[in-house]
Amino acid sequence: MSKAASHVADSHDLIRVHGARENNLKDVSIEIPKRRLTVFTGVSGSGKSSLVFNTIAAESQRLINETYSAFVQGFMPTLSRPEVDVLEGLTTVITVDQQRMGADPRSTVGTATDANAMLRILFSRLGKPHIGSPKAYSFNVASISGAGAVTVERGGQTVKERRSFSITGGMCPRCEGRGAVSDIDLAQLYDDSKSLSEGAITVPGYTGGGWNSRLYSESGFFDADKPIRTFTERELHDFLYREPTRMKIAGINMTYEGLVPRIQKSMLAKDREGMQPHIREFVDRAVTFTTCPECDGTRLNEGARSSKIDGVSIADACAMQISDLAEWVRGVTEPSVAPLLAALQHTLDSFTEIGLGYLALDRPAGTLSGGEAQRVRMIRHLGSSLTDVTYVFDEPTIGLHPHDIQRMNELLLRLRDKGNTVLVVEHKPEMIAIADHVVDLGPGAGSAGGAVCFEGTVEGLRAGGTVTGRHLDDRASLKGSVRTSTGALEIRGATANNLRDVDVDIPLGVLTVITGVAGSGKSSLVHGSLPHRSGAAGEGVVSIDQAPIRGSRRSNPATYSGLLDPIRKAFAKANGVKPALFSANSEGACPTCNGAGVVYTDLGMMAGVSTTCEECEGKRFQASVLEYRLGGRDISEVLAMPVTEAAEFFGGGEAHTPAAHRILGRLADVGLGYLTLGQPLTTLSGGERQRLKLATHLTEKGGVYVLDEPTTGLHLADVENLLGLLDRIVDSGKSVIVIEHHQAVMAHADWIVDLGPGAGHDGGRVVFEGTPADLVAARSTLTGEHLAAYIGS
């Protein structure tokens, strides 16, 4: 068919971006082919996410939201238009990002993927004995019933009718569907040898005569000068368990409540990750979670557990490994529910196909790693009949062993072959290799990045001479000599999750890498066996996991790393004023924008507008505060400095501040020298946040550092810097244990512990321990084969 005869509708085969300026992008203009797989590469912080997520995906989402009525839009998050001149050829975007799943105790893998909903319907149709509707099999629905008279107006008359209702739910009444019951250790709440006025309550926030402690000492239910151990039974009950009671204390109306329910509401109802460190420490000390004795951790009541299909209850089905459950579902042949069985079968097979067949449906969603959570989200899209959709993936190889990456590649190519545009932000060479089109951003990170360095094919990238091109074929070589250990951490009889009574000695004083396919039991071994003990030298274990940094636009690297405290004190001392003036979140804040630097205008159903504050010109401080100087700079100029410049500034001369200089040195060590001190955390990329967290944890006193996939979000060039940092930590006399899949890290290790051979119940055993050279020579495991192929031996 000649070009002239082709239909005009077929000519829109490019997504055109013109003049993108989100975050650090510098007027980027680019054309992305549709129905192809495009990979975006570049060092961490070069602007990949700003272009893909904050520009292309954000604008597509905003345009879709605009198709709804103003009433519906009022319930949706309002999105402002990205900073870009032209965006043409967009299609509907589905983003699959790395956000960890919410740690809600009621959310499991089954509830998050609709597999549970289908199982509940299946059991309500086929389960013997029949106990009720699908709700009767749900651990989130409580059984309730009631009866009484209702008044109805009918035909001008008021008639009273008797009504009753009952809902049969599946929730275990003892643990309320959580599977675990919490016991509070009363000895951690108060010292019973003291009286309340002597400060008997030891809960954080209840000491030192504040309102929380006055509530108890001035309540009048007991004598505040009497030691708690001499309380009568009645007084002790009022102190610990009394129901909420309104009363006046010091002339103010307050609600008195027993200490135990008050702590349960204020502390235990919160997500553990969101707590301040000292409160989290207290909760870990005071609260013990034990498996619910009534439902044995299944979350379901007696009725739901008694109804079975072929001898299997819904609790048994959810506890099975998903690959086994899929086999069981295949064996259920019942024509009346054939469509339901087919849909359930497809969902369960998708788990296995994507490499998550080792999970169980009753696994709490909050315990999934970032990579697992991302793949669980992908399951919804695998069997979708939609075509001409743009799928956007954020590092889909996170948490994947090289063996699993091949399967992920096949899935992405399948999505593309159905006629979809697939955009992937990625660092791994194995995934860059399958791209139809590559966009390399850089050349550096932060303000040194934000430009397109290369567009074209993978071959072109190799020859292009960009940072990514140069590192694409880098192959780490094995170390010539490995360090010798100074001792060992003994783990005996580890049985957490799928571990099979594992005994292993982890050497100290060296760099140890724990590896194995996804789901082989690496995290279970390390997190389940280490943090609860102190290191060999009696020093603690510092565990740095994958949990994301939470931060608003008011938090920045200076506040997060604790750097702002010494800086504020140095300014206060030099000028003879108080430190609070030098905080944009406290007394020094500009009154017009409250220290935010921008003024928000809410436009109701339209997207809100943020404009730079005219009074402080975005500096966030009052004009009077900016008159105070340290070393010739005011506080806003200091916060605008990059880390490397600030390290020089605080390193000597008039502004010499050793505490600030130490923290800045650590930030530079982890490769964040280009970040400005006052850059909002919300604008940092995933890799930058990971490294900021690492730099902050390096200040903690500990003899053993445990890192969970520290290469997440790091470019090949950044991985080299990370290895240099790990070497420096080990050389300073510490022990470093890394859970990792990256072959460059494995090759750099002094000792490797390989778990496997498979995932789930096919894993959980140590299949190799020794040096990387021995692992490559033996090639006895999947890891050994991939590492040998990587270093080209």
Side-chain angles (χ1 to χ4, degrees), residues 569-613:
K569 283 174 187 155
F571 264 97
K573 194 173 171 190
N575 295 287
V577 291
K578 55 183 179 177
L581 280 177
F582 301 99
S583 167
N585 297 328
S586 184
E587 291 184 28
C590 159
T592 311
C593 62
N594 289 329
V598 290
V599 177
Y600 288 103
T601 313
D602 185 12
L603 299 177
M605 62 177 224
M606 303 293 288
V609 177
S610 63
T611 48
T612 305
C613 171

Side-chain angles (χ1 to χ4, degrees), residues 367-635:
T367 64
L368 297 180
S369 69
E372 286 171 335
Q374 187 174 21
R375 285 181 288 156
V376 165
R377 285 195 194 90
M378 273 181 79
I379 286 169
R380 291 178 176 278
H381 309 304
L382 288 183
S384 166
S385 321
L386 290 172
T387 64
D388 267 331
V389 173
T390 302
Y391 286 98
V392 179
F393 291 99
D394 191 1
E395 291 189 52
T397 59
I398 285 183
L400 290 187
H401 187 269
H403 169 70
D404 301 311
I405 290 177
Q406 296 169 352
R407 293 161 83 172
M408 179 59 80
N409 282 352
E410 287 161 21
L411 290 170
L412 294 178
L413 292 172
R414 251 181 45 205
L415 280 176
R416 176 203 68 185
D417 294 346
K418 272 178 21 185
N420 297 309
T421 308
V422 181
L423 309 181
V424 184
V425 172
E426 189 50 84
H427 296 291
K428 292 268 173 77
E430 298 100 315
M431 187 154 274
I432 297 171
I434 63 163
D436 301 309
H437 189 73
V438 181
V439 177
D440 190 22
L441 289 159
S447 53
V452 174
C453 301
F454 172 82
E455 265 188 275
T457 60
V458 180
E459 285 69 38
L461 177 68
R462 277 201 173 90
T466 64
V467 177
T468 307
R470 287 201 303 275
H471 284 276
L472 198 57
D473 291 319
D474 273 10
R475 291 294 178 261
S477 52
L478 296 174
K479 284 203 294 201
S481 63
V482 294
R483 302 178 182 92
T484 51
S485 67
T486 54
L489 262 181
E490 295 183 1
I491 294 176
R492 294 290 176 266
T495 53
N497 296 333
N498 66 333
L499 294 177
R500 309 270 186 92
D501 207 13
V502 169
D503 296 339
V504 65
D505 289 342
I506 295 181
L508 292 172
V510 298
L511 174 60
T512 305
V513 170
I514 307 224
T515 184
V517 295
S520 58
K522 303 179 297 297
S523 299
S524 305
L525 179 67
V526 176
H527 296 308
S529 312
L530 279 184
H532 309 297
R533 44 211 283 181
S534 56
E539 294 181 274
V541 174
V542 178
S543 184
I544 306 170
D545 60 12
Q546 289 184 330
I549 286 181
R550 286 190 170 86
S552 66
R553 66 178 320 283
R554 281 184 177 276
S555 29
N556 51 45
T559 58
Y560 183 81
S561 63
L563 170 66
L564 211 50
D565 288 339
I567 291 179
R568 282 199 291 252
K569 283 174 187 155
F571 264 97
K573 194 173 171 190
N575 295 287
V577 291
K578 55 183 179 177
L581 280 177
F582 301 99
S583 167
N585 297 328
S586 184
E587 291 184 28
C590 159
T592 311
C593 62
N594 289 329
V598 290
V599 177
Y600 288 103
T601 313
D602 185 12
L603 299 177
M605 62 177 224
M606 303 293 288
V609 177
S610 63
T611 48
T612 305
C613 171
E614 290 176 8
E615 178 132 340
C616 65
E617 295 170 345
K619 290 180 178 171
R620 305 167 66 164
F621 291 91
Q622 295 174 20
S624 58
V625 174
L626 299 179
E627 288 168 16
Y628 299 117
R629 294 184 174 267
L630 175 70
R633 308 248 183 151
D634 66 39
I635 183 77

Side-chain angles (χ1 to χ4, degrees), residues 252-272:
I252 294 171
N253 286 328
M254 294 183 82
T255 300
Y256 176 90
E257 189 173 14
L259 187 61
V260 170
R262 197 148 190 260
I263 287 171
Q264 278 174 326
K265 283 178 192 162
S266 65
M267 294 182 186
L268 305 191
K270 289 184 181 153
D271 174 14
R272 186 180 173 281

